[in-house]
Amino acid sequence: MLDNVVGMLVIIFVINIVYVTLFTIRMIFTLKSQRYLAAITSVIEIVIYIVGLGLVLDNLDRPANLAAYAIGYGIGVIVGMKIEEKLALGYITVNVITKEYEPDIPNALRDKGYGVTNWVAYGREGERLMMEILTSRKSQTHLYNTVKALDPYAFIISHDTKMFYGGFWVKGIRR
């Protein structure tokens, strides 16, 4: 009997990890306008969800099942987030403001393959170099490290880019 109880706990636990991981991935696909991948993922996700929830509801007399379900849910969130980090779908726009006006930085970034639009900006302490850079999320860390190497005091901020049209990136992506 003990093997059956432990087996049920493990099954509920694993099912919920898989369900929540798929839920997270589906949400990412939805946010990134990957509608067909989101739809396929949701079909698998809901089947797993119903099976896992059914196991818990059929055995509500065992609080350990509910605990396994809840813990599996929490771990599923972590696993889903880790997978999302690895997938790194989409693009980001990175705004960089240098500490000092340094006109060589945009060309150094362009030499590394980044599309950079730059202009002179004015801050509290004078002239700054402002750059807007579009990059893939997979290249985000590399870009940050490159900018920090060129100007350790640069102010960097990024945000998701939903859609773009024209320019350097479109030419590179269409090839």
Side-chain angles (χ1 to χ4, degrees), residues 91-97 109 114-117 119 130-137 139-145 147 154-161 169:
Y91 298 90
I92 60 167
T93 300
V94 179
N95 293 324
V96 177
I97 304 172
L109 293 170
Y114 296 106
V116 180
T117 300
W119 59 93
M130 177 76 184
M131 293 176 284
E132 189 167 78
I133 307 160
L134 179 69
T135 190
S136 67
R137 285 201 46 235
S139 300
Q140 180 176 0
T141 302
H142 184 262
L143 174 61
Y144 286 1
N145 291 337
V147 169
F155 176 70
I156 305 170
I157 188 168
S158 65
H159 52 275
D160 279 334
T161 302
W169 265 90

Side-chain angles (χ1 to χ4, degrees), residues 8 12 51-61 65-66 69:
M8 179 66 77
I12 291 170
V51 169
L53 187 60
L55 289 173
V56 172
L57 293 176
D58 287 345
N59 298 288
L60 280 177
D61 57 325
N65 290 347
L66 186 56
Y69 188 87

Side-chain angles (χ1 to χ4, degrees), residues 96-103 105 108-109 127-131 143-156:
V96 177
I97 304 172
T98 61
K99 176 77 172 153
E100 302 293 329
Y101 180 76
E102 181 55 58
I105 293 176
L109 293 170
E127 279 190 353
R128 302 278 190 258
L129 176 65
M130 177 76 184
M131 293 176 284
L143 174 61
Y144 286 1
N145 291 337
T146 302
V147 169
K148 286 182 210 173
L150 294 167
D151 181 357
Y153 301 104
F155 176 70
I156 305 170

Side-chain angles (χ1 to χ4, degrees), residues 17 22 30 50 76 95 115 120-121 128 148 152 157-158 164 170-171:
I17 290 174
L22 288 174
T30 301
I50 290 170
N95 293 324
V120 177
R128 302 278 190 258
K148 286 182 210 173
I157 188 168
S158 65
F164 54 89
V170 173
K171 290 176 190 170

